[in-house]
Amino acid sequence: MLSFLLFVVGVAGVLSRRNIIIIFMSIELILNAVNLNMIAFSRYLAMNQKALTDAKLIVEPLTGPVFTIFVIVVAAAEAAVGLGIVIAMYRNRETIAIDEIDLLKW
């Protein structure tokens, strides 16, 4: 439920805001919602591992945390590249409003 709430707040932030810094923060909320969900499912699978193996399902309890670390690394790289682009745009345009950044438009 918490991850769903974080995801909805993140999507609402991406869709409704025009400041690119707030959009980046909303994307981070979305990624953290995914991380929380993967950890919760990993914990659930670990708790029910015996029942799942009896049903002949393969359970890897470290899959959730490994993917979570991968998402954290991707989010850090995305934040570093994105903030670099924002700084370059601000130096050229002196604004961070997404509506006024039309560099790639004809």
Side-chain angles (χ1 to χ4, degrees), residues 1-68:
M1 188 67 183
L2 179 64
S3 78
F4 177 72
L5 184 65
L6 279 175
F7 189 81
V8 168
V9 168
V11 169
V14 167
L15 295 178
S16 67
R17 301 300 229 150
R18 295 293 157 228
N19 188 336
I20 198 163
I21 301 295
I22 294 176
I23 292 173
F24 273 127
M25 290 180 0
S26 298
I27 290 171
E28 294 296 324
L29 274 179
I30 292 170
L31 292 174
N32 284 330
V34 170
N35 288 340
L36 193 60
N37 216 5
M38 282 195 284
I39 293 295
F41 275 112
S42 175
R43 175 87 173 152
Y44 173 77
L45 289 176
M47 288 175 29
N48 296 323
Q49 187 171 7
K50 182 172 181 354
L52 291 172
T53 53
D54 289 343
K56 298 183 181 175
L57 294 173
I58 299 171
V59 177
E60 293 290 335
L62 288 179
T63 305
V66 167
F67 274 111
T68 300

